[in-house]
Amino acid sequence: MMNIADLAQTRYTTKAFDPSRQLSAQQVEQIETLLRFSPSSTNSQPWHFFIAGSPEGKARVAKATSGTYAFNEAKVLNASHVVVLCSRASIDDAYLETLLQQEEADGRFANAEARAGQHRGRSHFVNMHRFELRDAHHWIEKQVYLAAGTLLLGAAALQIDACPIEGFDQKVLDEELGLRAMGYTSAVIVALGYRSGSDFNAQLPKSRLPADRVISRI
């Protein structure tokens, strides 16, 4: 039986990838499933994922890791696959209806009343962040980071090394992938593959604050 606590203690942020090793098609399919089935508040799923597995695709993503962010370029180019996790610029009424239609098709509503209740509940939180709190994009991006966490732990379960990357030029990447026209913006990149023998971070012990410092038992 898999011990998920062991995975949390042994996975780490890979700093150098072996470009000669590639993920299998089955592994990539599992990565896609992890992303699609990630949790999100009110099942809002306010995301889109680009998966670059070809040299050309990775080169496009790597355009955002030049200049100030050049220290991340090799991670993108040498990884087997790179995932760009994108957040919706907004959640509008049309998208709320899209979610309802999918949930209905998937059999989540016993009747019209259940469907209407789901719509009221989700709209309440979406509109609260849109109008009262005015932090909709921040709230949406939180959901994308839930997907990033699911991906990182899932990759560890698949014995795939990973590196989450926030050090990239968002404007460059958004333009390269045409995200603004799609109604999205890039949030975080995750490089996936297998560690290189030159990865210094693989040899370092993990360091975390003590449990009693970060956990209160009440």
Side-chain angles (χ1 to χ4, degrees), residues 157-179:
L158 294 169
Q159 298 183 311
I160 296 170
D161 294 317
C163 178
I165 300 171
E166 289 187 313
F168 65 94
D169 191 320
Q170 183 187 53
K171 185 173 185 293
V172 169
L173 190 54
D174 287 7
E175 290 178 351
E176 175 62 30
L177 299 179
L179 295 183

Side-chain angles (χ1 to χ4, degrees), residues 105-126:
D106 290 335
R108 289 190 56 83
F109 305 130
N111 48 47
E113 183 179 355
R115 186 185 195 276
Q118 170 72 341
H119 182 59
R120 283 194 303 272
R122 184 159 47 219
S123 296
H124 167 76
F125 286 103
V126 168

Side-chain angles (χ1 to χ4, degrees), residues 186-214:
S186 54
V188 61
I189 297 170
V190 176
L192 301 167
Y194 298 97
R195 70 193 70 173
S196 164
S198 63
D199 183 11
F200 72 90
N201 207 29
Q203 308 304 319
L204 298 177
K206 287 183 79 77
S207 177
R208 296 293 189 270
L209 292 170
D212 289 344
R213 179 74 179 269
V214 298

Side-chain angles (χ1 to χ4, degrees), residues 77-97:
L77 294 176
N78 291 335
S80 170
H81 287 68
V82 178
V83 181
V84 180
L85 295 91
C86 308
S87 59
R88 289 186 66 90
S90 65
I91 296 178
D92 56 19
D93 292 340
Y95 182 65
L96 290 174
E97 182 60 30

Side-chain angles (χ1 to χ4, degrees), residues 3-14 153 156-157 161 195 201-202 204 206 208:
N3 188 325
I4 199 167
D6 284 347
L7 293 178
Q9 293 178 80
T10 55
R11 68 145 304 277
Y12 77 106
T13 297
T14 302
L153 192 57
D161 294 317
R195 70 193 70 173
N201 207 29
L204 298 177
K206 287 183 79 77
R208 296 293 189 270

Side-chain angles (χ1 to χ4, degrees), residues 31-115:
I31 291 298
E32 292 181 2
T33 300
L34 285 169
L35 292 168
R36 283 189 58 230
F37 286 88
S38 294
S40 61
S41 178
T42 69
N43 197 31
S44 54
Q45 307 169 65
W47 48 48
H48 190 86
F49 311 108
F50 284 80
I51 302 178
S54 66
E56 295 79 13
K58 289 183 288 185
R60 292 182 65 188
V61 177
K63 289 181 181 180
T65 56
S66 59
T68 303
Y69 305 106
F71 59 91
N72 280 324
E73 184 177 32
K75 299 183 185 77
V76 172
L77 294 176
N78 291 335
S80 170
H81 287 68
V82 178
V83 181
V84 180
L85 295 91
C86 308
S87 59
R88 289 186 66 90
S90 65
I91 296 178
D92 56 19
D93 292 340
Y95 182 65
L96 290 174
E97 182 60 30
T98 296
L99 291 171
L100 279 173
Q101 289 176 4
Q102 185 63 57
E103 289 167 335
E104 187 169 36
D106 290 335
R108 289 190 56 83
F109 305 130
N111 48 47
E113 183 179 355
R115 186 185 195 276

